Amino acid sequence: MSSALHNLSNSGDATVPDASNMCFAIVVSEWHSDITGALLKGAVNTLEEHGALPENIHVKKVPGAFELVYGARQMTLNDGYDAVIILGCVIRGETPHFDYICQGVTQGIAHLNATNNIPVVYGLLTTNDLQQAQDRAGGKYGNKGDECAVVAIKMAKF
């Protein structure tokens, strides 16, 4: 994914398959909606740029990051999706809450990928501060939503 050395949002990757016959679910957290909204916009725009029809991109919102696992699980139960994308943001605070939420979501999504036939793409920003989140939601490190959309298309064709 993106880093200071590699920004997939601007890669111009010609190896992205055509997504015109694909259907995607996106589960997005309402917490830090300024960040997750930017991630969602990036994901939807990228899916459409690669041929996905707007009517084949289904967005569901959940209250917070921890609920992304449940939302993704519900979407994997629908046979119509080629991939599910989760988008959220957790910013470190003063308590261990950050660690528990990040670990729980990561383990939950890993479990879904190991036990289902539909890829679930991990788009949870886990940052130390708001600036780091902004840098990854359309800022200097691109948009993680764009990257997740490319990963979803590629994994749907896997």
Side-chain angles (χ1 to χ4, degrees), residues 111-122:
H111 178 75
L112 289 176
N113 276 307
T115 59
N116 286 290
N117 292 326
I118 299 171
V120 180
V121 177
Y122 185 89

Side-chain angles (χ1 to χ4, degrees), residues 32 35 38-39 89-91 125-139 142 144:
H32 297 299
I35 300 297
L39 296 172
C89 178
V90 183
I91 300 173
L125 296 182
T126 57
T127 63
N128 290 318
D129 56 47
L130 180 60
Q131 185 60 56
Q132 288 179 345
Q134 292 169 336
D135 289 345
R136 290 156 179 81
K144 180 96 169 163

Side-chain angles (χ1 to χ4, degrees), residues 23-56:
C23 189
F24 299 93
I26 302 175
V27 183
V28 60
S29 170
E30 295 173 331
W31 197 256
H32 297 299
S33 62
D34 52 331
I35 300 297
T36 61
L39 296 172
L40 176 62
K41 182 178 179 184
V44 169
N45 288 344
T46 298
L47 290 172
E48 290 178 353
E49 285 172 13
H50 290 285
L53 300 173
E55 59 268 22
N56 289 337

